[in-house]
Amino acid sequence: MTQRRINARDMIFQVEDATPDTWLAVERLQNFNVNPGENEETAEVTDYDSDGAYEQEIMQRGASIECEGLVLMDDLTGALPPGRARMEAMCGEDKVGYDSLGRVRFRHPFSTTWRIWTCTFSLGEQGGETNDKTSWSCTVTKSGKTTTAAVV
């Protein structure tokens, strides 16, 4: 077995379509960051027997993914690529309460399992300066525990 560095650009990231267990690639990302400590909450448990040392326990775990790229659009129809379109649909004003939850899955190329999150989706700012291409970003925030599935 050889230990290898993993290229960030090789991360495989997919969003579930409206049809359960149908996965769409999220196209042409330029940045993909998993924050495993997002929404973590702690409780201080320092007491007189702590001998002056701070003590804490984690009460809640959380995580998020920030993905970024450039806006992609069909120049004839204005349609977005399927994965991006699904993510934007999940950010719609009508997606509140239970309807705000969707699923994503992701892995490195050498991984034998997918990490699967039930999550919410939030679009980021879009725009740029005079000589920029228009930016696109979406934050995915995990809701509940991570599940896994074998890569087939």
Side-chain angles (χ1 to χ4, degrees):
M1 172 173 70
T2 302
Q3 298 291 317
R4 298 186 188 274
R5 292 175 180 87
I6 304 297
N7 298 329
R9 68 174 173 253
D10 292 340
M11 179 65 79
I12 302 165
F13 182 58
Q14 299 176 340
V15 61
E16 190 174 40
D17 195 12
T19 304
D21 295 317
T22 301
W23 298 94
L24 304 169
V26 180
E27 306 85 349
R28 311 219 18 143
L29 295 177
Q30 293 178 312
N31 192 6
F32 182 89
N33 288 304
V34 178
N35 181 349
E38 184 76 15
N39 296 318
E40 188 172 273
E41 295 289 338
T42 61
E44 180 183 348
V45 295
T46 308
D47 58 27
Y48 292 161
D49 294 326
S50 298
D51 293 325
Y54 175 82
E55 294 181 85
Q56 74 173 21
E57 293 177 0
I58 294 176
M59 302 303 292
Q60 171 181 297
R61 300 258 184 207
S64 67
I65 295 171
E66 177 73 28
C67 50
E68 300 173 340
L70 300 175
V71 170
L72 297 171
M73 198 175 289
D74 185 289
D75 61 353
L76 295 177
T77 66
L80 301 173
R84 296 256 191 116
R86 177 62 179 162
M87 289 185 76
E88 290 207 14
M90 290 305 300
C91 297
E93 291 180 9
D94 61 331
K95 299 295 184 185
V96 295
Y98 180 79
D99 290 336
S100 68
L101 297 172
R103 293 196 313 164
V104 298
R105 68 182 186 176
F106 57 100
R107 67 180 178 89
H108 290 289
F110 300 138
S111 298
T112 59
T113 57
W114 290 98
R115 288 189 280 169
I116 303 170
W117 290 0
T118 297
C119 53
T120 59
F121 300 78
S122 300
L123 277 178
E125 295 178 353
Q126 295 183 3
E129 295 183 18
T130 303
N131 294 318
D132 293 338
K133 295 293 185 180
T134 303
S135 63
W136 178 91
S137 67
C138 187
T139 301
V140 173
T141 304
K142 187 171 74 151
S143 177
K145 295 201 174 198
T146 301
T147 60
T148 60
V151 173
V152 287

